[in-house]
Structure formats: C-alpha cells, structure tokens
C-alpha cells in the first residue's frame, strides 16, 4: 500500500462498489468523495445536492472537514472523525467554532480504542487561533521541525507567546508582520527572546561554540 497508484486504485474500487450499494437502512445516509477516478466526484445515497463537497485537494485531512461541516448543516449534533493523525486533531481544534457542538476524534487501535472530545479541550482563544501556524513550525506533512527542538519545547514557547504567530496563514502571501512575528518566535524558541533577529541568535550561538552548525536556527 506504500505505492500511490495502489492506494488510488483501491479507493476507486471501494467507491464504485459503495456507489452500487442499495441495502442501506432508510434512516442512514452514506456520503463520500475524493475516492473515484475523478477526485472531484462526490456521491450521496440520499440523492441530495452535495456539490459543496467537491474538492480538488489530494489530502484527505482537509476534505474530512468539508464533510464534518456538511453533517452540521444536516442538523447532526455529534460528529466522530475516525483518524489517528495529529494533523486532523489540530485542524479540528483550529476550526472547532465552525463545526458541530460535539466533535470527537476516534483513534487508538481496535483492541484499545480512544475517543478524544475535541469540544472539551480548553485552550485560550489566542492559542486556538494560531494553533495551525504553531503545528506547521513543529513539523507536519509539509514542513520539517528545527533540529533538537521538539514539540514540547515549541509548545512551552507557544503558550507564552501565541500572538507572535497570528499573522501566519492569513493569506497566500507572507506579510512583513508574519515574517517578523515568526522570526521573533524562533528567537524565543532558541532561548534568545531578547534578540531582534535570528541572524543575531545564530551569531551568539556560534560564538559560544556550544552548538553544531546544523543545530543553529535558520538565517533570516
């Protein structure tokens, strides 16, 4: 299953088979999309208009939340997302205000299932608002983390300075405010919150000679 074409062919096979399913209970609806040969195709067993679920993204992580939002529009008060991916949990927290009043993440294993009540996680509004920017900096599907700076170190700094990341992700272009905020966050991350730039941090760390070149923060 590590080969991309094998995954897409299996998804297309399952989608087509489910499309032909005609034995669903009358009070159940099956909705899915992204698995057909045409990733823009979506299907509902209730034959209702679900064109708003069409997406060209290749990542299921984000498509999941289109379906969660659709469930809310259908007056479902509880949504359970079955996934063991941290990215999905972060997305759920980041968009909790737009989703169902009760949203759970089903993770764990078949022998030891776990249900995380996302709606009950209590974090400050500024932390929630900037959570996805924080997650991107700690290493996610599309970015790497800083050498020897794990998630716990990032999280400690983030709880103290969440507003430094508030301008990140607001638009497709990286604004000057976003760049400066992110740079200041990295200064705090390496223990030099009083420095104005990462270049200054790099110099101080290099002069002290306590870190390898690889362990220095990136340049400005």
């Amino acid at each position: 299953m590590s080969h991309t074409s094998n995954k897409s062919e299996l998804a297309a096979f399952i989608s087509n088979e489910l499309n032909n399913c005609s034995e669903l209970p009358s009070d159940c609806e099956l909705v899915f999309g992204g698995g057909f040969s045409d990733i823009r195709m979506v299907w509902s067993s209730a034959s209702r208009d679900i064109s708003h679920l069409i997406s060209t993204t290749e990542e299921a992580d984000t498509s999941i939340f289109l379906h969660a939002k659709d469930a809310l529009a259908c007056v479902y008060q509880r949504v359970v997302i079955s996934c063991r991916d941290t990215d999905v949990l972060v997305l759920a927290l980041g968009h909790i205000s737009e989703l169902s009043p009760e949203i759970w993440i089903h993770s764990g294993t078949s022998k030891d299932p776990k249900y995380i009540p996302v709606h009950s996680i209590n974090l400050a509004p500024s932390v929630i608002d900037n959570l996805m920017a924080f997650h991107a900096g700690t290493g996610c599907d599309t970015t790497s983390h800083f050498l020897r700076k794990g998630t716990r170190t990032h999280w400690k700094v983030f709880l103290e300075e969440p507003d430094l990341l508030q301008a990140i992700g607001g638009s497709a272009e990286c604004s000057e405010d976003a760049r400066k905020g992110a740079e200041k966050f990295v200064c705090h991350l390496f223990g030099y919150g009083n420095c104005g730039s990462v270049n200054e941090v790099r110099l101080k760390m290099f002069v002290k000679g306590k870190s390898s070149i690889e362990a220095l923060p990136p340049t400005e």
Side-chain angles (χ1 to χ4, degrees):
M1 289 306 296
S2 60
H3 200 285
T4 304
S5 62
N6 288 343
K7 290 182 180 179
S8 59
E9 288 176 8
L10 177 60
F13 171 77
I14 294 174
S15 297
N16 286 317
E17 289 298 309
L18 289 174
N19 196 4
N20 297 323
C21 181
S22 59
E23 299 180 358
L24 287 174
S26 58
D27 59 344
C28 293
E29 180 186 2
L30 182 62
V31 181
F32 58 95
F36 295 99
S37 298
D38 180 359
I39 63 171
R40 296 169 298 178
M41 181 177 174
V42 291
W43 178 83
S44 167
S45 61
S47 300
R48 63 184 176 91
D49 180 20
I50 53 171
S51 57
H52 54 282
L53 294 177
I54 294 175
S55 172
T56 56
T57 179
E58 294 182 0
E59 281 287 342
D61 294 355
T62 48
S63 297
I64 285 172
F65 292 95
L66 286 176
H67 290 268
K69 190 73 178 288
D70 177 62
L72 176 61
C74 292
V75 203
Y76 289 102
Q77 296 301 302
R78 180 186 296 123
V79 172
V80 180
I81 297 173
S82 183
C83 187
R84 291 181 290 177
D85 196 327
T86 304
D87 291 346
V88 174
L89 176 59
V90 171
L91 283 166
L93 275 170
H95 293 285
I96 190 66
S97 61
E98 307 167 42
L99 298 172
S100 170
E102 187 177 338
I103 184 165
W104 298 75
I105 298 289
H106 174 209
S107 63
T109 63
S110 57
K111 293 183 178 180
D112 184 24
K114 296 179 181 179
Y115 289 87
I116 303 171
V118 180
H119 53 279
S120 296
I121 297 177
N122 187 22
L123 294 172
S126 59
V127 172
I128 292 290
D129 292 343
N130 302 310
L131 190 61
M132 284 183 282
F134 156 78
H135 182 51
T138 62
C140 61
D141 283 352
T142 55
T143 60
S144 301
H145 66 84
F146 297 110
L147 184 66
R148 297 174 188 167
K149 298 297 178 183
T151 303
R152 289 186 179 182
T153 305
H154 276 83
W155 184 248
K156 182 180 179 180
V157 174
F158 179 56
L159 289 181
E160 296 172 352
E161 304 286 348
D163 291 334
L164 289 177
L165 303 179
Q166 65 181 351
I168 296 178
S171 64
E173 299 295 328
C174 181
S175 67
E176 185 64 15
D177 287 342
R179 188 193 65 76
K180 287 182 178 179
E183 186 173 2
K184 190 66 176 177
F185 183 86
V186 175
C187 291
H188 279 279
L189 183 65
F190 282 83
Y192 291 84
N194 59 329
C195 289
S197 72
V198 288
N199 286 348
E200 185 181 351
V201 173
R202 283 173 60 86
L203 176 60
K204 288 188 174 184
M205 292 179 66
F206 179 76
V207 169
K208 286 184 176 181
K210 294 182 179 180
S211 300
S212 63
I213 295 296
E214 293 81 5
L216 297 179
T219 63
E220 183 179 309

